[in-house]
Amino acid sequence: MMYEDITESEESDLCDWQLPLAFMKKRHTERIAASHTETQTWRMKERMKTVSVALVMCLNVGVDPPDVVKTSPCARLECWIDPLATSPQKALEAIGNSLQKQYERWQPRARYKQSLDPTVDEVKKLCTSLRRNAKEERVLFHYTGHGVPRPTTNGEIWVFNKTYTQYIPLSVYDLQTWMGSPSIFVYDCSNAGLILKSFEQFAMQKEQERDALHHPQISGITSRTQMSMPPPAKNCIQLAACGSRELLPMNPELPADLFTSCLTTPIKIALRWFCNQKSSDLVPGITLELLDKIPGRLNDRRTPLGELNWIFTAITDTIAWNVLPRELFQKLFRQDLLVASLFRNFLLAERIMRSYNCTPLSSPRLPPTYQHPMWQAWDLAVDICLSQLPALLNGAEYKHSPFFAEQLTAFQVWLTMGSEMREPPEQLPIVLQVLLSQVHRLRALDLLGRFLDLGPWAVSLALSVGIFPYVLKLLQSSARELRPLLVFIWAKILAVDRSCKADLVKDNGHKYFLSVLADPYMPGEHRTMAAFVLAMIVEGYLNGQVRTEAALQGNVVAICLEQLSDNHPLLRQWLALCLARVWTNFDAARWCGVRDSAHEKLYTLLNDNLPEVRASAVIALGTFIGSGSDRTDHATNIDHNVGMTLINVAQDGSPIVRKELVAALYQLIRQFEGQFASIARQILEDDIRKDENLTPAVAGTASGGFTVVLHGESAVKTNVSGPDLSRRRHSLQPIAPANLGRLKASALHKSPTVGGNLVHHHLPNGPQLSKSPPTPGGSSSSSSSSYGSHGSGDGFTPPAGPIMFEKMRRIPSTAALSTIFSSSYSNVYVQIWKVMLQLASDPYPEVKYLAQSLVNAINLKATFTAKPQLVVDSRRTNSAPNSPTNRRGANHSPQNLSDSPPPSTLNIPNEVLKPVPIRPGEQPPPARPQNPPPIGAAFSHTQQFSRSRKLFDKGPIIPETYEEEQQEVNETPASLAVGTDFSEWCCKYFAQSVMKPPDEMDPFSGLHHEREWRFVRNARLRREALDHIENAGTCRLDDQIFINKNTATPLVVRFHPFNPHIVVADKEGICVWNWENGEKLNYFTNQNPKNSRITSMDFLNSHDVTLVMTGSDDGAVRIWRNYWSQSHKPVELVSAWQALSDMLQSTRAETVSRTRRLNKERLGSGLVLDWEQESGMLLASGDVRIIRVWDTQREMKLQDIPTGADSCVTSLACDSVGRSLLIAGCGDGSVRLYDRRLSPAECRVMTLREHNGWVTNVHLQKGAGDGKIISASVSGDVRFWDPRFTESVKLINTPFNTLTAMAVHQQANIIACGSANQLISVYNTAGDTLSNIKYYEGFIGQRIGPISCLAFHPLKMHLAAGSRDSFLSIYSTEKKAR
């Protein structure tokens, strides 16, 4: 769009912002489909645990290694113990015990083994024993080499001999072999980087050796050496104190094992290092002795020391999460508690040791983190804590650090402008830590919920950081203030990652949400989320403990049923969906619902104002009747009751409701398949008997291209493929609402039967079709057959196109069909099957194809399930063997004797007979039986055993093809995939943002700017039109500014109020023109049946995003999106429904003799619509005897107003102020006024009878005038009415005696009348003729055909006229620029 022509000073009309939008909800703008979320990767594939720790310390206290020259003074403390303070052996033991205690703080349950100044054998024994005990778990190897030489470049570390007289090298290769994998190695010695390099080289060498052993050329030695080969060095983690050329710091202010101190006592070393920095001058008076007096414990977050440790954990976690790749972060910081602690402390070691020119190394290698900005936050936290230390020692109260509150504020600031396009908030791991604090927990949960509300990406980020175990643990809290927040967070998590419900089930989390749902004081939106969580939990747990507890002990059924009348619509929706999932395939829960009359309580939701709620109720009722496995009389009665209630939903205005209705009725049809198959068979036969031409009726479509058709009371299966198949399918498209598509078969000839017996019908190419009279009970089947997979090769394959059935809507009356069956339930089945047939011709394609697949399957089943009869000689007994002769009964004529088939041929009434033989050049059908016996046909001995049967003969051989065919028929419809994605689509609501306002309401969004531009444009066009409207009553309107030939004869024409577009409807399509430049913008078909036509059309939401509404004379309304798009988006069907059913064919009144010739071939009024944008109300009438009022916001019928006329309604108008006055022009010439506030018997308040012919149009003036109602008839009289009087107040007699169209300008007092005599007259309301537009002879004369439709532009002084010669013209008072 162009914005340059709209100035900033122009403002839009307020009315445009306040006008409601029709068909713009999510159910209209989104595809009803399940969300496709990526597989979550936040869960570790396997969690590990370090179960064993080897502490190898080579200190040799008192003896310095030969290759290290120590300074004096030098760092001496080992594990915070001075080794020279006691004897060397005691010091060594004390240091070993101290190191073990330091590790036990991080992993208290591990098995610790010390090896102090060991030999090679001791190390080997230690490592192999720990690996053997650890099995597949992780083992830690800690090596301190302060009393031995530095590692060698050959990959060796040093230990001792037994007498401590020599240093013995220990190869890292051997150490790898003994330790195995997974393992973690810590090297605290100088030149530790050499060990890291050697370890990686040896690991690669072992991998190469392993590959070589598996090479085919040396496969002979594989078996001998494979067992002795060590496991690969995978999942091995290494931490080294310094680089390969670096020495450990010897600063006497530091401990000798600085690296070990950072890894095991991070807070203590961090405080000491802080005091040694220049920044410590900011907190004077702090000494090293005071640091040891900081009160508290490390594991108590309420104390100063515990709070520092808590802050340190949060900061190091945050640094790692923001710097490391997600996969590496998960592996190092979430897989193993000890590994996570060591790596958090390793970040501190890097910061401290780099200040002393040492670079700690790790494998896998980490990016540098020592300069991360979060370290400044750590320094500030330490500063604040230490500044209070002197006062604390004097008894003052500790003031907690503001660190977490400030970080939550930073997180809140990020959320104000947070989006997926920005970098993730670095405070997210801190929010996780804050959940541990009761002080900040409420705020943290609130901010976490707002973050998760940003979308699935935010949920994935939160799960990757490790939020899940924290929010799972919080479900054990009984704090009421946490309930809304936790329910919201869990709804977001389960909407994105459903695997989390397993953890909920394991911890009995469903009880928490049951209590929330049952809490009457909880707001409706939070109870909605609790219902959603419960629905997600029970899904997939068939007859499990959880469903039993939730449904029976937790009484979720009763809890849901109690709240079905809640005012919150989304709660009602999810209560129904939760019930549907609870009793799906769970009889115990279903009978809980039966005892509580669940189905009767759900009936109220079928009339809910929200289509989503109605669809959910249909789903719940469908699963309710489809979950019962026991077929008791009580259960059957309930199923029938539900089915008869559900069929009333077939007239719902929302496609999602009707689509769910198909799936729900499928559950019932599946339970009583035999009864429905019998009814389907009877309906097909009834149609055939009424068919004078014996046209084959399509019964169904089988796999392999087989189309099952019926001929007479028999069926013929033909193989159709290639062009024939496409032609056949094309011929099966719906033709008319009352007469659906037929197959024309001219080769079939009707022949009489003789004596009611078998007669042959000779076809040109040789196939023989037999016809026999129906036998009593021959078409009914009471057995419920098993179904097969519809995707299998032998099962039913739904048609690729809209395969329809012969005269699908020509259904016998219920009373007639009910006499066919003796069962008392037959009337129920007939009614439900009639509804299914109606849904199979639904105007919305998804509903139609889903219903057709089901109807097709049942019809196909009906074709195969009739009972056969065998044709045998009446003189033979049942025990006589089969006769090889061609004898017939005495009543057979001689002609029949010669043309009869062999006696072994079965006479199968209502059955499939032989396929049509293959014609020359045709491909044979794949693996089809020559004559498949029907279901239920028994092989009696008299029919199958020959007279010469041997004594030990095995009997007749049943062909395999028969078994395959029988299996195919038995498996035809049952596992047909009749389902929808509506329930999954509803789940997407919780995965998307529910707090963020819609884009159209966000003043900074592009969508809002587009709307504002449109509204400003509308206001400007309205102002510009005022000048032309003021002078309209005196100006000529005959200047032709547009003429073009339309695709077909225009039937309805409409101007867009604000775009230079005019849409023209012909019989089956809509053409869009730009009347300013004469360009044809688009043409699309309306998808109405072939023999129907479009009779009404209008624009919806013309002030904003415009939709086109069409109505066809089959009673269907269709709403189209993208009727024209600059971006060339395809035209989409937004919605479609049957506004009226049982349309009656009528012709225009012939009371006026001069119009008889014109009208005797004219069709009826079809579907007449009147749209009111302000209220969203749609009036529908036409070839019916009612006016139906639809609420398009709720997509449901409001009321039916009987017209009281014996003729059709030709035009409608509505009062836009009170919206209670309805005006209808009728085919008998009357104009009738109705007050929709009154009862149906009293709603007709006035009948105006001055027209003596078909009322062409009726218009209700919005402003003041001589009369507020204007009407015109085919006789040419235009009358003005005042609702206060029964007589017209003004009459304009036009010169027409064949008035075909009349239009009134909405703003100006101008009337245009069109005639079949190629003439248009324009009048003002005073009756003065302003213009006459007619046909002129001559070369440059104006051409105009018989007028078919007229329409004024809503704002401009433009008149559009469509003529029967397919031309479209536009006339104006303005002279077009030449």
Side-chain angles (χ1 to χ4, degrees):
M1 292 187 177
M2 302 300 293
Y3 294 85
E4 292 79 1
D5 56 345
I6 301 297
T7 62
E8 295 182 358
S9 61
E10 292 179 311
E11 297 180 357
S12 61
D13 286 348
L14 186 61
C15 62
D16 281 348
W17 289 101
Q18 295 175 342
L19 274 179
L21 292 176
F23 299 98
M24 292 296 290
K25 301 290 192 300
K26 280 191 175 183
R27 61 179 179 270
H28 305 122
T29 57
E30 291 183 4
R31 185 172 177 268
I32 307 297
S35 59
H36 300 285
T37 56
E38 297 181 359
T39 305
Q40 302 301 321
T41 59
W42 63 274
R43 287 183 184 270
M44 294 304 301
K45 295 180 181 178
E46 52 179 3
R47 284 197 172 274
M48 288 190 177
K49 183 169 59 175
T50 302
V51 296
S52 301
V53 178
L55 303 178
V56 179
M57 308 195 70
C58 299
L59 297 180
N60 198 11
V61 178
V63 180
D64 292 335
D67 59 347
V68 177
V69 179
K70 294 187 177 180
T71 61
S72 181
C74 182
R76 292 192 305 181
L77 296 180
E78 297 278 356
C79 297
W80 305 105
I81 295 175
D82 186 354
L84 302 181
T86 58
S87 64
Q89 185 61 32
K90 289 184 179 180
L92 182 63
E93 292 176 359
I95 292 171
N97 292 332
S98 177
L99 180 61
Q100 180 174 334
K101 291 180 180 178
Q102 291 173 190
Y103 268 110
E104 283 176 344
R105 180 184 171 272
W106 305 106
Q107 181 59 285
R109 298 183 179 180
R111 180 184 182 186
Y112 290 89
K113 290 288 186 179
Q114 301 178 24
S115 184
L116 308 178
D117 292 345
T119 63
V120 174
D121 292 337
E122 290 172 349
V123 173
K124 177 180 180 181
K125 182 179 179 181
L126 173 65
C127 294
T128 52
S129 64
L130 291 182
R131 169 49 59 196
R132 182 170 56 253
N133 294 328
K135 297 180 181 178
E136 300 298 325
E137 297 291 350
R138 183 174 276 127
V139 179
L140 186 145
F141 180 86
H142 181 100
Y143 173 74
T144 300
H146 298 166
V148 293
R150 290 175 286 178
T152 66
T153 56
N154 294 330
E156 297 167 330
I157 58 176
W158 297 94
V159 291
F160 303 95
N161 62 359
K162 293 184 179 180
T163 58
Y164 299 100
T165 58
Q166 290 181 344
Y167 299 111
I168 306 299
L170 171 60
S171 174
V172 175
Y173 183 93
D174 295 334
L175 185 62
Q176 274 185 357
T177 305
W178 301 335
M179 286 292 294
S181 175
S183 300
I184 178 171
F185 299 86
V186 178
Y187 313 121
D188 189 353
C189 61
S190 297
N191 300 97
L194 287 175
I195 309 177
L196 217 64
K197 291 182 180 179
S198 302
F199 190 96
E200 294 174 353
Q201 292 174 359
F202 292 145
M204 292 178 59
Q205 178 182 342
K206 288 185 178 182
E207 287 296 326
Q208 293 173 359
E209 293 175 358
R210 187 177 302 277
D211 294 340
L213 287 175
H214 289 83
H215 198 276
Q217 295 179 353
I218 54 174
S219 58
I221 62 172
T222 300
S223 60
R224 297 193 302 270
T225 60
Q226 191 171 9
M227 296 302 295
S228 61
M229 195 65 200
K234 293 179 180 178
N235 298 322
C236 288
I237 299 172
Q238 301 177 83
L239 299 175
C242 57
S244 57
R245 298 183 180 181
E246 295 175 349
L247 299 178
L248 295 178
M250 300 181 188
N251 190 331
E253 298 177 351
L254 301 174
D257 60 345
L258 177 60
F259 186 63
T260 300
S261 299
C262 290
L263 293 183
T264 57
T265 57
I267 302 302
K268 188 172 184 178
I269 190 63
L271 293 176
R272 289 176 176 270
W273 180 77
F274 178 81
C275 291
N276 291 332
Q277 304 304 305
K278 292 182 179 180
S279 58
S280 62
D281 297 340
L282 298 175
V283 281
I286 301 300
T287 62
L288 297 179
E289 290 75 15
L290 284 179
L291 294 179
D292 294 332
K293 298 179 180 180
I294 296 178
R297 300 188 308 274
L298 288 172
N299 57 359
D300 188 354
R301 292 186 295 271
R302 294 170 296 182
T303 62
L305 193 61
E307 188 178 57
L308 277 178
N309 184 56
W310 185 24
I311 293 174
F312 174 80
T313 302
I315 286 178
T316 50
D317 243 18
T318 301
I319 293 174
W321 188 75
N322 283 283
V323 172
L324 301 185
R326 295 283 178 264
E327 185 177 354
L328 185 59
F329 175 81
Q330 292 288 330
K331 178 181 179 181
L332 301 182
F333 287 82
R334 294 294 180 264
Q335 190 180 49
D336 188 327
L337 291 178
L338 179 58
V339 172
S341 301
L342 289 178
F343 268 92
R344 273 195 295 266
N345 302 339
F346 178 79
L347 301 183
L348 175 68
E350 182 189 15
R351 187 187 190 211
I352 292 178
M353 298 189 72
R354 274 183 178 268
S355 64
Y356 298 104
N357 299 318
C358 276
T359 306
L361 302 177
S362 68
S363 175
R365 188 177 299 274
L366 304 184
T369 60
Y370 66 98
Q371 291 181 332
H372 196 278
M374 287 301 295
W375 286 121
Q376 299 176 13
W378 166 249
D379 292 339
L380 178 61
V382 172
D383 194 312
I384 293 174
C385 179
L386 294 182
S387 64
Q388 302 181 57
L389 185 57
L392 289 176
L393 297 177
N394 294 329
E397 185 179 356
Y398 177 64
K399 297 180 181 178
H400 289 281
S401 172
F403 170 79
F404 289 107
E406 292 170 352
Q407 294 299 318
L408 287 179
T409 302
F411 185 55
Q412 185 175 355
V413 171
W414 187 94
L415 285 175
T416 57
M417 297 296 291
S419 69
E420 189 175 3
M421 307 306 296
R422 295 184 58 196
E423 289 292 327
E426 64 179 15
Q427 298 85 11
L428 196 56
I430 297 177
V431 176
L432 179 147
Q433 291 292 329
V434 175
L435 293 178
L436 302 173
S437 169
Q438 292 185 354
V439 178
H440 305 289
R441 182 175 295 160
L442 197 63
R443 185 186 178 196
L445 284 174
D446 178 54
L447 294 177
L448 177 62
R450 290 170 54 185
F451 176 71
L452 298 180
D453 190 59
L454 295 178
W457 64 271
V459 177
S460 300
L461 274 180
L463 292 174
S464 70
V465 87
I467 214 84
F468 182 75
Y470 291 79
V471 294
L472 183 61
K473 183 91 171 168
L474 285 175
L475 292 180
Q476 301 174 8
S477 172
S478 58
R480 286 186 57 85
E481 63 271 14
L482 298 183
R483 284 187 169 189
L485 301 173
L486 286 175
V487 169
F488 182 87
I489 289 171
W490 272 102
K492 289 292 179 182
I493 291 175
L494 287 180
V496 175
D497 188 358
R498 301 187 182 184
S499 65
C500 297
K501 67 182 180 183
D503 302 86
L504 272 178
V505 169
K506 184 178 179 181
D507 289 11
N508 291 325
H510 61 279
K511 296 179 180 179
Y512 185 88
F513 299 100
L514 270 174
S515 63
V516 174
L517 182 61
D519 188 352
Y521 300 102
M522 191 66 62
E525 56 268 21
H526 297 129
R527 281 181 287 139
T528 300
M529 294 174 185
F532 166 73
V533 172
L534 287 171
M536 301 301 291
I537 289 175
V538 299
E539 181 189 23
Y541 283 87
L542 304 180
N543 296 327
Q545 175 97 20
V546 178
R547 296 187 73 183
T548 303
E549 290 183 2
L552 307 181
Q553 300 172 12
N555 211 11
V556 66
V557 175
I559 293 174
C560 291
L561 291 176
E562 289 174 0
Q563 305 181 54
L564 285 180
S565 58
D566 192 272
N567 293 329
H568 198 278
L570 198 59
L571 175 59
R572 300 194 300 270
Q573 175 183 342
W574 273 102
L575 289 173
L577 290 175
C578 182
L579 286 172
R581 295 191 176 189
V582 165
W583 57 45
T584 298
N585 299 323
F586 192 24
D587 283 345
R590 180 178 184 266
W591 284 110
C592 276
V594 171
R595 285 189 290 270
D596 287 344
S597 301
H599 55 293
E600 296 178 0
K601 295 177 180 178
L602 282 168
Y603 291 163
T604 59
L605 296 187
L606 296 179
N607 297 316
D608 196 272
N609 290 337
L610 202 65
E612 289 88 344
V613 178
R614 302 198 297 271
S616 302
V618 173
I619 292 176
L621 291 170
T623 56
F624 186 76
I625 60 180
S627 300
S629 57
D630 298 333
R631 288 291 96 207
T632 62
D633 290 342
H634 187 199
T636 301
N637 288 331
I638 291 175
D639 292 347
H640 291 166
N641 185 297
V642 174
M644 292 302 293
T645 305
L646 281 177
I647 62 176
N648 297 323
V649 184
Q651 299 301 322
D652 196 285
S654 175
I656 60 175
V657 180
R658 301 196 304 275
K659 192 173 180 182
E660 294 305 325
L661 176 62
V662 176
L665 292 181
Y666 164 70
Q667 300 293 339
L668 190 65
I669 292 174
R670 184 169 58 88
Q671 299 283 349
F672 306 99
E673 176 201 339
Q675 289 86 338
F676 283 102
S678 299
I679 293 170
R681 178 67 190 182
Q682 289 295 330
I683 293 175
L684 291 171
E685 289 181 351
D686 181 71
D687 287 342
I688 294 172
R689 280 193 293 268
K690 294 179 181 179
D691 192 349
E692 298 178 354
N693 297 324
L694 281 180
T695 304
V698 181
T701 305
S703 59
F706 283 89
T707 302
V708 179
V709 298
L710 298 177
H711 178 66
E713 279 102 7
S714 302
V716 180
K717 184 185 297 184
T718 57
N719 186 8
V720 186
S721 60
D724 292 334
L725 176 61
S726 62
R727 238 183 351 260
R728 177 71 53 88
R729 288 184 174 176
H730 178 73
S731 67
L732 294 176
Q733 299 291 335
I735 296 176
N739 184 16
L740 302 179
R742 305 181 175 207
L743 285 176
K744 300 298 182 180
S746 58
L748 299 178
H749 300 283
K750 186 176 180 181
S751 301
T753 58
V754 180
N757 293 311
L758 190 66
V759 178
H760 286 191
H761 303 278
H762 298 277
L763 301 183
N765 293 318
Q768 295 182 346
L769 303 179
S770 64
K771 178 181 178 181
S772 61
T775 56
S779 62
S780 62
S781 174
S782 59
S783 61
S784 180
S785 303
S786 62
Y787 292 97
S789 171
H790 105 267
S792 65
D794 294 332
F796 164 71
T797 303
I803 302 297
M804 304 297 288
F805 306 99
E806 171 74 14
K807 298 182 180 179
M808 184 175 293
R809 291 195 180 180
R810 197 182 66 194
I811 302 170
S813 65
T814 305
L817 284 179
S818 62
T819 60
I820 299 174
F821 311 106
S822 60
S823 171
S824 61
Y825 299 141
S826 63
N827 191 49
V828 175
Y829 304 136
V830 169
Q831 295 292 336
I832 294 174
W833 188 245
K834 287 174 64 177
V835 169
M836 281 305 305
L837 294 179
Q838 293 172 8
L839 292 171
S841 57
D842 194 272
Y844 198 73
E846 292 184 11
V847 179
K848 177 172 67 174
Y849 296 151
L850 192 66
Q852 282 180 4
S853 64
L854 177 57
V855 172
N856 210 356
I858 295 298
N859 278 348
L860 190 62
K861 184 74 176 179
T863 311
F864 285 100
T865 53
K867 295 180 180 179
Q869 284 190 350
L870 305 180
V871 177
V872 295
D873 194 339
S874 60
R875 293 175 294 178
R876 286 190 245 117
T877 62
N878 290 335
S879 60
N882 200 15
S883 173
T885 64
N886 289 333
R887 288 184 298 170
R888 281 285 182 261
N891 59 343
H892 288 195
S893 64
Q895 182 182 357
N896 290 337
L897 293 177
S898 60
D899 292 336
S900 300
S904 59
T905 303
L906 293 176
N907 179 18
I908 310 174
N910 310 320
E911 273 301 323
V912 176
L913 298 184
K914 296 180 181 180
V916 177
I918 304 170
R919 299 177 181 178
E922 290 185 352
Q923 295 295 326
R928 302 295 293 187
Q930 187 65 24
N931 188 12
I935 298 299
F939 289 106
S940 62
H941 291 76
T942 59
Q943 292 296 317
Q944 296 297 327
F945 284 92
S946 64
R947 196 185 293 265
S948 59
R949 176 171 176 256
K950 297 179 181 179
L951 182 61
F952 299 104
D953 191 6
K954 295 181 180 180
I957 299 176
I958 302 175
E960 293 183 1
T961 54
Y962 166 71
E963 296 177 355
E964 294 173 358
E965 181 68 15
Q966 184 177 23
Q967 180 182 6
E968 175 184 347
V969 176
N970 282 336
E971 293 181 355
T972 302
S975 52
L976 186 67
V978 179
T980 69
D981 290 330
F982 173 76
S983 180
E984 296 297 322
W985 176 78
C986 292
C987 298
K988 292 168 59 177
Y989 170 82
F990 297 99
Q992 300 166 352
S993 177
V994 299
M995 298 181 183
K996 182 183 176 182
D999 287 341
E1000 57 268 19
M1001 304 303 294
D1002 183 2
F1004 300 102
S1005 68
L1007 184 60
H1008 185 275
H1009 291 161
E1010 290 181 10
R1011 294 193 74 197
E1012 188 175 23
W1013 179 87
R1014 283 194 290 267
F1015 296 164
V1016 170
R1017 175 205 61 183
N1018 299 349
R1020 189 191 64 182
L1021 292 176
R1022 290 189 185 102
R1023 287 194 300 270
E1024 292 176 354
L1026 291 178
D1027 297 336
H1028 300 283
I1029 292 174
E1030 291 177 358
N1031 303 323
T1034 58
C1035 295
R1036 292 178 57 83
L1037 194 150
D1038 55 3
D1039 184 57
Q1040 190 177 64
I1041 62 173
F1042 173 90
I1043 184 170
N1044 246 312
K1045 188 165 186 179
N1046 197 53
T1047 308
T1049 302
L1051 299 180
V1052 190
V1053 61
R1054 288 289 182 271
F1055 277 103
H1056 192 284
F1058 307 109
N1059 288 329
H1061 299 161
I1062 184 170
V1063 292
V1064 187
D1066 53 47
K1067 181 179 178 182
E1068 57 186 19
I1070 295 96
C1071 189
V1072 184
W1073 295 87
N1074 185 322
W1075 54 264
E1076 284 188 344
N1077 57 22
E1079 179 186 1
K1080 182 178 179 180
L1081 301 177
N1082 195 9
Y1083 182 85
F1084 58 95
T1085 59
N1086 190 51
Q1087 298 181 3
N1088 48 295
K1090 188 175 181 181
N1091 286 347
S1092 63
R1093 59 191 172 98
I1094 300 173
T1095 56
S1096 297
M1097 182 176 61
D1098 209 339
F1099 285 110
L1100 310 186
N1101 311 332
S1102 59
H1103 65 293
D1104 201 348
V1105 180
T1106 307
L1107 306 176
V1108 172
M1109 174 181 66
T1110 62
S1112 51
D1113 63 0
D1114 62 343
V1117 174
R1118 293 172 175 84
I1119 311 295
W1120 298 94
R1121 182 193 297 119
N1122 302 330
Y1123 78 96
W1124 169 80
S1125 174
Q1126 280 185 326
S1127 57
H1128 302 290
K1129 294 180 181 178
V1131 179
E1132 298 177 9
L1133 182 64
V1134 179
S1135 183
W1137 74 98
Q1138 203 72 26
L1140 294 172
S1141 55
D1142 301 325
M1143 301 284 285
L1144 304 173
Q1145 195 74 0
S1146 60
T1147 58
R1148 297 199 174 189
E1150 299 182 0
T1151 56
V1152 183
S1153 58
R1154 61 178 176 268
T1155 62
R1156 287 184 179 177
R1157 179 181 53 83
L1158 171 71
N1159 295 315
K1160 67 179 180 180
E1161 296 180 357
R1162 297 296 297 269
L1163 298 175
S1165 59
L1167 177 61
V1168 179
L1169 301 175
D1170 184 70
W1171 166 247
E1172 189 65 47
Q1173 183 73 47
E1174 289 79 3
S1175 63
M1177 190 171 66
L1178 178 67
L1179 305 180
S1181 190
D1183 292 328
V1184 288
R1185 302 298 179 258
I1186 59 170
I1187 300 173
R1188 183 162 291 173
V1189 183
W1190 289 91
D1191 186 343
T1192 58
Q1193 296 295 331
R1194 295 185 284 176
E1195 298 186 55
M1196 61 188 304
K1197 181 185 70 174
L1198 290 182
Q1199 63 184 128
D1200 282 344
I1201 301 174
T1203 61
D1206 292 331
S1207 60
C1208 63
V1209 173
T1210 62
S1211 56
L1212 288 170
C1214 175
D1215 178 17
S1216 61
V1217 179
R1219 301 187 182 92
S1220 57
L1221 178 63
L1222 308 182
I1223 301 113
C1226 299
D1228 60 358
S1230 61
V1231 177
R1232 299 169 185 252
L1233 280 63
Y1234 306 89
D1235 190 339
R1236 59 182 295 257
R1237 297 170 296 183
L1238 302 178
S1239 65
E1242 301 173 351
C1243 61
R1244 180 158 58 96
V1245 295
M1246 189 177 294
T1247 303
L1248 310 175
R1249 299 181 181 274
E1250 293 188 16
H1251 293 295
N1252 57 359
W1254 180 290
V1255 177
T1256 304
N1257 194 10
V1258 62
H1259 176 79
L1260 182 63
Q1261 285 183 302
K1262 307 299 181 183
D1266 294 335
K1268 291 188 176 181
I1269 302 174
I1270 305 174
S1271 62
S1273 72
V1274 293
S1275 304
D1277 55 331
V1278 179
R1279 297 182 182 271
F1280 295 73
W1281 311 86
D1282 190 318
R1284 297 171 295 180
F1285 308 108
T1286 57
E1287 297 181 353
S1288 60
V1289 296
K1290 184 181 293 186
L1291 170 64
I1292 300 178
N1293 277 315
T1294 65
F1296 311 138
N1297 58 0
T1298 55
L1299 191 146
T1300 56
M1302 187 272 281
V1304 182
H1305 199 285
Q1306 295 180 5
Q1307 308 291 333
N1309 297 323
I1310 296 180
I1311 304 169
C1313 299
S1315 168
N1317 297 329
Q1318 301 170 283
L1319 173 64
I1320 301 174
S1321 294
V1322 183
Y1323 305 90
N1324 58 21
T1325 53
D1328 302 327
T1329 302
L1330 300 181
S1331 303
N1332 282 316
I1333 306 169
K1334 55 186 176 179
Y1335 183 90
Y1336 290 99
E1337 298 287 348
F1339 177 71
I1340 59 174
Q1342 185 171 252
R1343 302 293 195 269
I1344 178 173
I1347 302 301
S1348 60
C1349 54
L1350 291 174
F1352 275 107
H1353 193 285
L1355 300 177
K1356 299 177 180 294
M1357 295 307 302
H1358 294 340
L1359 173 65
S1363 56
R1364 295 183 190 173
D1365 55 3
S1366 301
F1367 275 93
L1368 176 68
S1369 303
I1370 299 178
Y1371 303 93
S1372 174
T1373 58
E1374 306 170 2
K1375 298 295 182 181
K1376 185 177 180 181
R1378 302 296 181 184

